[in-house]
Amino acid sequence: MFTNDSSSGLQQTTSYKVVLPFYIFAALSFIISCTLLLLNTDIIHQHYFHPQTLAITHLMALGWGTMIILGASHQLLPVLIEGKLDSYLLALLSFVFAATGIPLLVTGFYLFNTGLILQTGAVLINASVICYFLNVIASISESKKHNVHAFFIAAASLWLFATTFFGLLLVFNFSRSWLPENSIEYLSVHAHMGLVGWFLLLIIGVGSRLIPMFLISKYSNPKILWWIFALINIALFGFIILKTSNAFEKLYYSPFLLVLFALALFANYCYRAYKERIRKHVDEQMKISLLSVAMLILPLLSLMAVIYFIRENSGSKLVLLYGYCIFFGWITAIIMGMTFKTLPFIVWTKVYHSRVLGKTPAPKELFSENLFKIMALFYLTGFILFLAGILLLNDLLLKSGAALLLASAIVYVINVAKTVFHQAKV
């Protein structure tokens, strides 16, 4: 019987009924995003404020990245705070509101219908985020364990709400002029509240716990994590103040340098965890998850170029490159790896939790490692080809890269389905 796997640290304290819908929705969003990318590769030749670009970006950010993180965090939060999830009802409402709102928002952007469709989607997404935020805060407040990981998640959930609420203002600003400037002037603030405040904070907060756990590493350094937490939040607050006060020109590199230093500390944290690991064999899932940490260098280089060229009133292509490296690079790589470290355990517990006697498979046997390797090959090749296509403005490279990314998404969905629909062997 399964008794000793690195996944065993994921104590089952949240019902699979709460968690699995998020994973399924995210998988479908990923395959739709890649399909839209393949059908609309010409957006690379357009300005980044383009209906199809906005639709794909928000589907990747909300439908793919955020939904799977919401699902995983509902499962992992009890592990990180050594407590329990406060409300299953809030978790389910969070899913229902998001699963209804995201398609409406994406459709509104794709058709550039800035009226009822887009506005309803934005309102529902905010309702989902409020449910999630209240659940996180209540769960943490009821827990006796207030460690640094809990603060990462709490701060990230607050930044997520700030992101979606500001996005709601931007949506209504299309028709009601709620803000002093037009919506495009605030895009960088909205985007970086989500990218840095939500994705980066939460991924570092959870990853700093899961990476050592999955590597079975003795390494732990809360002091470094507190430094990372402070640097990222100070940088984001600084960026918002500088950008909204039109003082960005004077100190435009300051927030970037703070985040760069924080990421260097996190990279060193992961390296130390890797060096001090007990389990010497590193599986393919962990390899691609660790690769995602290294892939952060690509959006950072893109951002440096964006900062420089936007000051020179150019660089629209670099903004697209920056977004692509984040959503199809860093975020997708870490999700691909962590999906098959967390999802198999959730399904294993669902199927085999009542079995006391008899042999059961290990969680890693619930998905296909061969399919995972094929997915990784398609993904990495497609990512590089599409990246080259953006840089060279080559349509053949763009189509080839997008086709391989879609192929990787199809294989990912097949492997997720194989895991989710696993049945107990007699």
Side-chain angles (χ1 to χ4, degrees), residues 35-56:
T35 302
L36 291 176
L37 186 67
L38 178 60
L39 295 175
N40 297 278
T41 52
D42 58 323
I43 60 175
I44 300 304
H45 304 286
Q46 309 295 329
H47 190 271
Y48 58 84
F49 194 79
H50 185 274
Q52 282 71 54
T53 304
L54 293 173
I56 295 170

Side-chain angles (χ1 to χ4, degrees), residues 91-137:
L92 290 170
L93 286 175
S94 178
F95 172 77
V96 171
F97 287 141
T100 309
I102 291 170
L104 289 174
L105 187 84
V106 172
T107 301
F109 277 127
Y110 196 83
L111 303 176
F112 210 65
N113 181 332
T114 59
L116 188 61
I117 295 176
L118 195 66
Q119 292 168 1
T120 303
V123 169
L124 288 170
I125 289 167
N126 273 270
S128 168
V129 171
I130 289 170
C131 290
Y132 172 74
F133 175 71
L134 292 175
N135 215 359
V136 166
I137 298 304

Side-chain angles (χ1 to χ4, degrees), residues 132-340:
Y132 172 74
F133 175 71
L134 292 175
N135 215 359
V136 166
I137 298 304
S139 301
I140 292 174
S141 64
E142 292 174 5
S143 169
K144 297 179 181 179
K145 191 78 172 181
H146 295 160
N147 55 33
V148 63
H149 307 288
F151 278 86
F152 268 97
I153 293 182
S157 64
L158 182 58
W159 280 115
L160 174 62
F161 173 68
T163 304
T164 57
F165 182 73
F166 193 60
L168 179 69
L169 295 180
L170 294 179
V171 164
F172 278 91
N173 196 55
F174 283 126
S175 55
R176 300 174 186 268
S177 299
W178 283 8
L179 298 170
E181 305 287 345
N182 63 64
S183 295
I184 195 171
E185 298 297 326
Y186 300 98
L187 278 184
S188 61
V189 174
H190 170 62
H192 286 93
M193 282 196 294
L195 293 174
V196 178
W198 166 236
F199 284 116
L200 187 60
L201 268 182
L202 191 131
I203 288 174
I204 289 178
V206 174
S208 60
R209 175 72 177 91
L210 291 189
I211 289 173
M213 186 173 77
F214 288 138
L215 290 172
I216 313 182
S217 174
K218 300 175 291 183
Y219 183 71
S220 177
N221 194 331
K223 184 178 179 180
I224 291 296
L225 296 178
W226 280 116
W227 271 103
I228 294 171
F229 178 84
L231 287 168
I232 291 174
N233 280 285
I234 291 170
L236 187 51
F237 275 116
F239 171 78
I240 293 170
I241 293 169
L242 291 171
K243 189 67 176 172
T244 55
S245 65
N246 295 321
F248 192 70
E249 289 289 332
K250 300 175 183 177
L251 299 167
Y252 55 90
Y253 277 119
S254 302
F256 172 80
L257 292 174
L258 290 177
V259 172
L260 185 62
F261 185 45
L263 292 177
L265 291 176
F266 181 60
N268 183 65
Y269 183 96
C270 294
Y271 175 75
R272 293 288 301 276
Y274 177 82
K275 291 294 289 184
E276 296 183 25
R277 71 193 188 279
I278 295 173
R279 172 176 285 178
K280 295 305 177 184
H281 172 72
V282 179
D283 58 35
E284 300 300 323
Q285 304 93 277
M286 280 307 302
K287 287 178 182 177
I288 199 168
S289 296
L290 292 170
L291 175 64
S292 73
V293 178
M295 288 176 76
L296 269 171
I297 192 66
L298 295 175
L300 288 173
L301 291 174
S302 303
L303 181 57
M304 287 181 66
V306 167
I307 291 172
Y308 176 78
F309 283 104
I310 281 185
R311 292 172 67 232
E312 301 295 324
N313 296 316
S314 61
S316 179
K317 181 178 75 171
L318 290 169
V319 174
L320 292 171
L321 178 67
Y322 175 54
Y324 172 75
C325 289
I326 287 176
F327 292 115
F328 285 92
W330 167 54
I331 290 175
T332 293
I334 197 166
I335 288 175
M336 282 182 164
M338 285 301 173
T339 293
F340 296 103

Side-chain angles (χ1 to χ4, degrees), residues 405-426:
L405 288 171
L406 177 57
S408 74
I410 292 170
V411 178
Y412 173 87
V413 169
I414 292 171
N415 224 357
V416 166
K418 175 181 172 61
T419 308
V420 169
F421 297 110
H422 174 82
Q423 298 294 319
K425 297 179 181 179
V426 179

